[in-house]
Every structure is written in structure tokens, then in C-alpha cells.
């Protein structure tokens, strides 16, 4: 209820403010006072300038789309009752297979964005999208598995399974990412609503609360707050061996997470553009993505308050897996925030008249 109320409020404020801004900007045109422009209209010539490390941004956005698709389809299956929570392996297998098949969307999303940034080597981006996130995750996973092997535990993932995972990754996921990238690169590039100037604008001195690090950290609190209670139940189900049955409620929480991520990034992006700072591409990704940092901190808190783990290897396992989970959460929330901001900036800049 609180989240819905907040969303309504934010949406209303944003709509009213924006409506006022846009009508003011469009009226100025008629009164020949367009010389003294203020606020976000000032940066219209720089707002769609490709960011630094734009290749990496494309890769992360593609991965996020892949992840989003996987989570969404898994949840829908779980709600419809195809995946039983008591059969844990079934849930994991379904998620892995879905991840592999969602590769096509990852390739498509990253190559569309890359083409918008005037990039020409789509194969390079496709390869990085296909390898980067799974590569980092499998590296952590392999180290953890080596630790369990060292303990002679039966909990270690056998070699055959490891091989099957690698086959899924390189045999199915990578080709699908390339297929998606190829389709994306053949589409016409996304047009910017306003032209970008040749020379970048000077960014004025920013107030302390508009400092990137500060606003990014603030932005992560709300999305984390939205999922934080549900997180307790999920952690308990994973680490304390209880079953998790409330997928319908989880789906609702997921919807709330999407809304809060989108809203907080749009609001912070609006303030940022109003203070004439046009470097929003990475900041929009990191603003909602920073909720993963809070997730990891909460996991640490949970470890010391709820779990009685004394062995070093068990502790390393817990933190290793929570690190993977936090990284995945970062990619997911970051992408939601990025797309929200992307849609928002295109919307506001296409609705003002610019000579």
C-alpha cells in the first residue's frame, strides 16, 4: 500500500512539474525569450551524447534484459504451479534453461543500444554480452566448488554437471546471443529526439547532494526497502532449509521492485538534468543498481544474527553465493532503472520544441 501510494504521488508530481516545464518552454518560443533557457532544456544538445565506456553499458543492459526475462518467466511458471517449491532442483534447472534461452533477447538489447551509440562492431559486443556475466559468476562458483571438493563433501557439484553447464553456456547461450545481436544490428538505429552538439557542454559546479556517489547510494535504498521483508523469507528458505511457497506474493513484490526502481531513477535523473548535469547514462544504471550493495550488507547482517556457522568453508560458501546473488540483483535493478530513464529522457526531450 505504501509503495502504491508513493508511486501515485511521485507520478503526479512528475507529471505536473513536467507539464509545467514543457508548456513554459514551448511558450517561451512564442515570446522570443528563448535566449535565457533554464533547467533541463539547456542540456538538450548533450543529453544523448554516448557515455564513456558505452560498450560496457551495452553489455550490462543486455545481461539485465536476459536476467529480467528469466526471472519473469520463472515466476509465471511458479505461480501457475508448474514448478514445485519442494523440488528445489527443478526450480534451479528451469532457471538455468530459461537463462540460456533468454540469450537471444540479451544479444538483441545490447546490439540495439550499441547501434544507437554509433558502434559498428556488433560481434565484439555480442561476444562480451555472452561471456561476461556468466564468466564472472562461474569463476566464483568454481572457486566455491573447489573449496567444497577440498572438504571431500558430497555437496560438491560433480564434474559431469559442470561440463553440462559449460555446454549449455557455449553450445546454446552464446550462439543465441549472436543470433539476437545479428537481428538487432540489422534493425535501423534508434533515432535521438534531439541533435547532439559537436562540442560537449561544461557541467557547472554541483551541490553536495547532487554528487554522483551520494545520489547513487540514496537511490538504492528505496528498491531495497521494497523487497527487504521478502528477502528475509527467501534467505531463510535457502539457508535454513524451509520451503518457500508464496510465489504469488513474490510476484507482487517483484512488480513493486520494478516500479520503485523506475521511479527513483526517473526522479533523481530529473533533478540531475535540472542542475545541468547531462551524464545520466551510467548514473541511471547505478542508481537503482546500488540496491545490490544494501542486499549484500543485509546478507552479512543475516549471517551474524540468524545463522550459526562456525566453519570457515561454510562461511566462504555463504558469502560467495550471496555475492553472486547481489551481482545478479545489481544487473537486474540497474537495467530496470536504465530503461526507465532512457524512456523518460526520450519522452521529455521529444515534447519540447527545439530550433
Amino acid at each position: 500500500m505504501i509503495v502504491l501510494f508513493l508511486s501515485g504521488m511521485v507520478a503526479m508530481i512528475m507529471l505536473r512539474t513536467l507539464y509545467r516545464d514543457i508548456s513554459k518552454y514551448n511558450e517561451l518560443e512564442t515570446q522570443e525569450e528563448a535566449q535565457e533557457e533554464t533547467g533541463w532544456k539547456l542540456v538538450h544538445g548533450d543529453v544523448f551524447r554516448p557515455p564513456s565506456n558505452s560498450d560496457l553499458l551495452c553489455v550490462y543492459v543486455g545481461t539485465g534484459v536476459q536476467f529480467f526475462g528469466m526471472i519473469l518467466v520463472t515466476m509465471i511458471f511458479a505461480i501457475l504451479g508448474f514448478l514445485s517449491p519442494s523440488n528445489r532442483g527443478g526450480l534451479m534447472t528451469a532457471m538455468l534453461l530459461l537463462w540460456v534461452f533468454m540469450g537471444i533477447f540479451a544479444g538483441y538489447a545490447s546490439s540495439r543500444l550499441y547501434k544507437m551509440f554509433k558502434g559498428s562492431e556488433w560481434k565484439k559486443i555480442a561476444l562480451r554480452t555472452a561471456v561476461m556475466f556468466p564468466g564472472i559468476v562461474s569463476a566464483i562458483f568454481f572457486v566455491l566448488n573447489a573449496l567444497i571438493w577440498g572438504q571431500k563433501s558430497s555437496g560438491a557439484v560433480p564434474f559431469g554437471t559442470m561440463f553440462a553447464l559449460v555446454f549449455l553456456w557455449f553450445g546454446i547461450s552464446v550462439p543465441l546471443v549472436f543470433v539476437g545481436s545479428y537481428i538487432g544490428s540489422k534493425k535501423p538505429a534508434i533515432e535521438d529526439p534531439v541533435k547532439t552538439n559537436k562540442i560537449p557542454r561544461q557541467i557547472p559546479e554541483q551541490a553536495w547532494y547532487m554528487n554522483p556517489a551520494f545520489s547513487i547510494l540514496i537511490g538504492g535504498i528505496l528498491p531495497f526497502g521494497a523487497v527487504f521483508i521478502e528477502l528475509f523469507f527467501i534467505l531463510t528458505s535457502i539457508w535454513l532449509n524451509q520451503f518457500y511457497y508464496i510465489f504469488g506474493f513474490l510476484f507482487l513484490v517483484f512488480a513493486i521492485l520494478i516500479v520503485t526502481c523506475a521511479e527513483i531513477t526517473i526522479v533523481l535523473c530529473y533533478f540531475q538534468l535540472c542542475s545541468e548535469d547531462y551524464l545520466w547514462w551510467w548514473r541511471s544504471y547505478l542508481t537503482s543498481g546500488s540496491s545490490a550493495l544494501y542486499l549484500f550488507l543485509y546478507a552479512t547482517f543475516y549471517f551474524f544474527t540468524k545463522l550459526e556457522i562456525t566453519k570457515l568453508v561454510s562461511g566462504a560458501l555463504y558469502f560467495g553465493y550471496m555475492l553472486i546473488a547481489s551481482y545478479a540483483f545489481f544487473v537486474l535493478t540497474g537495467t530496470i532503472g536504465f530503461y526507465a530513464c532512457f524512456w523518460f529522457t526520450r519522452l521529455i526531450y521529444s515534447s519540447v520544441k527545439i530550433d
Side-chain angles (χ1 to χ4, degrees), residues 63-240:
T63 308
V65 169
Q66 187 174 4
F67 208 81
F68 182 79
M70 178 194 86
I71 300 258
L72 192 66
V73 179
T74 309
M75 276 193 197
I76 290 169
F77 276 170
I79 289 171
L80 296 176
F82 292 134
L83 300 170
S84 159
S86 51
N87 176 11
R88 287 245 173 102
L91 197 65
M92 271 318 282
T93 313
M95 286 177 88
L96 274 171
L97 284 172
L98 278 168
W99 166 265
V100 167
F101 289 117
M102 289 292 165
I104 193 161
F105 295 111
Y108 181 77
S110 62
S111 81
R112 287 284 284 171
L113 196 61
Y114 183 62
K115 197 164 179 187
M116 195 187 120
F117 291 149
K118 311 279 187 288
S120 51
E121 303 170 15
W122 63 270
K123 293 191 185 77
K124 189 181 76 179
I125 288 292
L127 185 69
R128 284 174 66 181
T129 307
V131 173
M132 190 160 156
F133 180 81
I136 293 174
V137 169
S138 11
I140 300 175
F141 184 66
F142 201 80
V143 169
L144 294 178
N145 214 36
L147 285 176
I148 311 180
W149 263 335
Q151 294 286 310
K152 308 267 188 299
S153 158
S154 61
V157 176
F159 191 73
T161 315
M162 280 288 213
F163 183 75
L165 285 176
V166 172
F167 169 74
L168 275 177
W169 176 15
F170 284 106
I172 304 174
S173 184
V174 175
L176 277 178
V177 172
F178 270 91
V179 169
S181 277
Y182 178 73
I183 299 169
S185 68
K186 283 287 165 274
K187 287 244 169 160
I190 304 170
E191 290 292 316
D192 293 335
V194 286
K195 285 192 177 66
T196 301
N197 295 340
K198 292 275 185 291
I199 303 158
R201 228 185 114 82
Q202 194 80 31
I203 298 176
E205 188 72 31
Q206 299 292 319
W208 62 270
Y209 51 83
M210 290 309 292
N211 179 2
F214 182 76
S215 70
I216 283 169
L217 286 174
I218 289 295
I221 295 176
L222 262 180
F224 171 73
V227 294
F228 140 83
I229 295 177
E230 207 52 25
L231 205 66
F232 173 77
F233 293 116
I234 294 173
L235 286 180
T236 308
S237 109
I238 296 173
W239 299 109
L240 294 178

Side-chain angles (χ1 to χ4, degrees), residues 57 61 64-65 68 219 223 257-269 280-291 329-345:
L57 184 67
V61 167
V65 169
F68 182 79
L257 173 72
I258 295 171
V259 172
T260 36
C261 282
E263 278 175 353
I264 190 73
T265 27
I266 286 176
V267 170
L268 288 173
C269 178
W280 63 273
W281 298 97
W282 271 110
R283 207 196 278 195
S284 66
Y285 197 98
L286 295 171
T287 297
S288 52
S290 65
S291 51
F329 193 69
F330 164 71
V331 172
L332 174 74
T333 49
T335 303
I336 295 169
F338 171 79
Y339 271 120
C341 243
F342 183 61
W343 168 81
F344 171 72
T345 44

Side-chain angles (χ1 to χ4, degrees), residues 151 239 303 309-320:
Q151 294 286 310
W239 299 109
F303 178 83
I309 292 178
T310 46
K311 278 191 179 164
L312 185 66
V313 173
S314 309
L317 267 184
Y318 175 84
F319 282 109

